[in-house]
Amino acid sequence: MESRASVRLRVVLSHLGRPSAGLLVAHPTAETAYPANFHTQQFQYTLDNNVLSLEQRKFYEDNGFLVIKNLVSDADIERFRMEFERICREEVKPPGIMIMRDVSIAKSEFVPDETVVSKVQDFQEDEELFRYCTLPEIVKYVECFTGPNIMAMHTMLINKPPDTGKKTSRHPLHQDLHYFPFRPSDSIVCAWTAMEHTDRNNGCLVVIPGTHKGPLKPHAYPQWEGGVNLMYHGIQDYEEDNKRVHLVMEKGDTVFFHPLLIHGSGENKTQGFRKFQDVWSFRARLVKGERINL
Ligand SMILES: CCCC(=O)SCCNC(=O)CCNC(=O)[C@H](O)C(C)(C)COP(=O)(O)OP(=O)(O)OC[C@H]1O[C@@H](n2cnc3c(N)ncnc32)[C@H](O)[C@@H]1OP(=O)(O)O
Ligand SMILES: Nc1ncnc2c1ncn2[C@@H]1O[C@H](COP(=O)(O)OP(=O)(O)OP(=O)(O)O)[C@@H](O)[C@H]1O
Ligand SMILES: O=C(O)CCC(=O)C(=O)O
Ligand SMILES: [Fe+2]
Ligand SMILES: [Mg+2]
């Protein structure tokens, strides 16, 4: 099926874990082979550990995102897909979960199957989907940005629908921090894993590199003729010629990105596919370490 689905997770660490900015003391080891001037380098967005290479670290510092190829196994992705289908068929109903449909079919009769569900949100009480947040390979990278105390704050599995012709399958360019009441922003990272091949044709993730260094911009609903999904706010100074990068990703590839990075996704022009609340302490679930501030 030519659908475009992705599971993704958000995590936050309290201010007690690390300063949100400033000079981090480096402890280089033989494997990482940092240059001599490394100690004088300032890193604001990444922590000092041996997981990221210096090149990867610099890339995230400069661009606000980092793609790690082939991170999540096909076997795990198949399990997440099966659980998503069980949720759509209403065979399981995890507490707190929200099931969403695209605005173009929101007024149609609800049929419980995965062809009409565009997204399940807040799956933290579903043990099978929550496993995504605890996968060692995901946590290992998340810690590079958050430190060791990790809360999953906003979980979603997105099943982007084929566009009905109204271009409502687009997700306007936005900054996730617009939706978050918690800080500090530099200790928040989003992990987004492609559950199948994704490119411009099926509405891959689109980012504007370096925008994590800018401010949180005002957001509003875009003036789109065909309508826009509830809560899909976008930045107001959108320009056609901004420096967008379309992230072409294969199944299992995972992008980690900063909550100020401007990103969105285009229309799903293929014939395959893809509901919303705010009580953050219920939506949050500890992944690792101590629950510090929520
Ligand atoms: C950080 C992140 C980047 C993001 O992903 S931002 C997106 C975050 N999105 C959210 O937080 C969305 C929150 N969702 C919701 O509040 C609910 O799912 C939602 C849309 C109100 C529907 O809730 P329910 O009441 O459970 O469902 P329902 O089917 O009975 O619909 C109630 C009314 O809402 C409408 N609706 C459903 N899905 C929609 C959509 N996608 N866009 C616009 N309107 C939509 C639906 O037509 C119905 O309207 P009416 O009351 O009959 O007039
Ligand atoms: N007025 C707007 N405000 C905010 N974001 C927008 C606006 N118009 C488009 N976007 C977003 O810009 C991003 C990039 O759009 P892009 O042109 O790459 O995709 P597309 O138009 O769906 O596909 P294509 O250009 O390949 O036909 C998408 O996330 C889209 O939702
Ligand atoms: O996957 C998409 O289409 C957009 C997702 C998004 O905005 C996010 O994961 O924060
Ligand atoms: Fe987002
Ligand atoms: Mg376009």
Side-chain angles (χ1 to χ4, degrees):
M1 189 194 316
E2 289 231 36
S3 61
R4 200 283 260 154
S6 72
V7 267
R8 58 48 162 325
L9 141 86
R10 288 200 163 73
V11 286
V12 66
L13 171 80
S14 92
H15 63 284
L16 292 178
R18 59 168 288 213
S20 60
L23 184 69
L24 293 159
V25 182
H27 303 284
T29 65
E31 300 91 69
T32 46
Y34 292 130
N37 68 353
F38 179 74
H39 289 271
T40 62
Q41 265 177 334
Q42 279 207 275
F43 289 100
Q44 181 177 346
Y45 303 104
T46 57
L47 293 167
D48 176 45
N49 64 23
N50 299 323
V51 175
L52 299 184
S53 67
L54 184 57
E55 193 188 6
Q56 289 174 320
R57 206 168 159 181
K58 281 182 163 162
F59 188 91
Y60 188 92
E61 293 280 332
D62 292 344
N63 295 284
F65 70 95
L66 180 67
V67 177
I68 306 293
K69 302 290 291 173
N70 199 19
L71 190 63
V72 179
S73 72
D74 286 5
D76 280 324
I77 289 174
E78 249 4 86
R79 284 178 61 174
F80 299 140
R81 186 185 292 278
M82 279 166 57
E83 184 64 4
F84 170 67
E85 291 177 7
R86 288 180 69 219
I87 293 169
C88 296
R89 293 195 299 260
E90 300 181 331
E91 290 169 19
V92 281
K93 195 165 190 338
I97 206 157
M98 272 189 284
I99 298 181
M100 302 173 205
R101 291 187 286 168
D102 187 76
V103 60
S104 60
I105 59 161
K107 304 284 179 204
S108 324
E109 192 192 346
F110 183 73
V111 188
D113 79 44
E114 69 274 8
T115 64
V116 297
V117 175
S118 57
K119 194 189 264 196
V120 297
Q121 187 166 312
D122 297 330
F123 60 63
Q124 67 282 349
E125 299 308 323
D126 184 284
E127 293 309 324
E128 182 68 0
L129 290 185
F130 188 70
R131 238 170 33 79
Y132 171 71
C133 309
T134 65
L135 290 175
E137 59 272 34
I138 291 287
V139 173
K140 174 177 127 182
Y141 283 99
V142 164
E143 278 192 88
C144 299
F145 311 102
T146 64
N149 301 311
I150 302 171
M151 298 282 293
M153 298 301 300
H154 197 219
T155 53
M156 283 182 191
L157 191 154
I158 305 166
N159 186 42
K160 195 179 180 79
D163 202 275
T164 55
K166 293 179 179 287
K167 295 194 172 200
T168 51
S169 65
R170 288 178 295 173
H171 198 133
L173 291 170
H174 66 281
Q175 296 166 300
D176 286 351
L177 200 66
H178 167 68
Y179 296 93
F180 299 159
F182 44 87
R183 299 290 185 274
S185 59
D186 294 345
S187 302
I188 303 171
V189 72
C190 176
W192 187 112
T193 299
M195 290 175 69
E196 61 188 23
H197 172 86
T198 177
D199 58 28
R200 199 164 178 161
N201 237 1
N202 62 0
C204 66
L205 205 67
V206 177
V207 301
I208 307 183
T211 47
H212 65 303
K213 293 179 188 161
L216 177 60
K217 294 174 170 248
H219 283 60
Y221 283 114
Q223 302 296 309
W224 285 347
E225 251 174 66
V228 58
N229 281 302
L230 204 66
M231 295 289 284
Y232 278 37
H233 305 155
I235 54 169
Q236 291 178 274
D237 52 355
Y238 170 82
E239 283 167 33
E240 261 303 326
D241 63 353
N242 52 26
K243 298 200 167 48
R244 302 192 295 260
V245 172
H246 290 75
L247 299 182
V248 175
M249 293 167 67
E250 301 305 327
K251 185 174 178 179
D253 293 356
T254 302
V255 59
F256 296 89
F257 65 89
H258 190 280
L260 281 168
L261 184 77
I262 297 175
H263 67 284
S265 62
E267 182 188 343
N268 182 1
K269 295 169 184 154
T270 69
Q271 287 312 303
F273 324 16
R274 251 186 186 203
K275 241 172 178 219
F276 301 111
Q277 222 13 285
D278 258 303
V279 187
W280 286 99
S281 60
F282 292 145
R283 297 172 78 162
R285 182 168 167 190
L286 191 67
V287 170
K288 184 169 180 259
E290 286 179 78
R291 187 168 186 134
I292 295 170
N293 66 348
L294 272 155

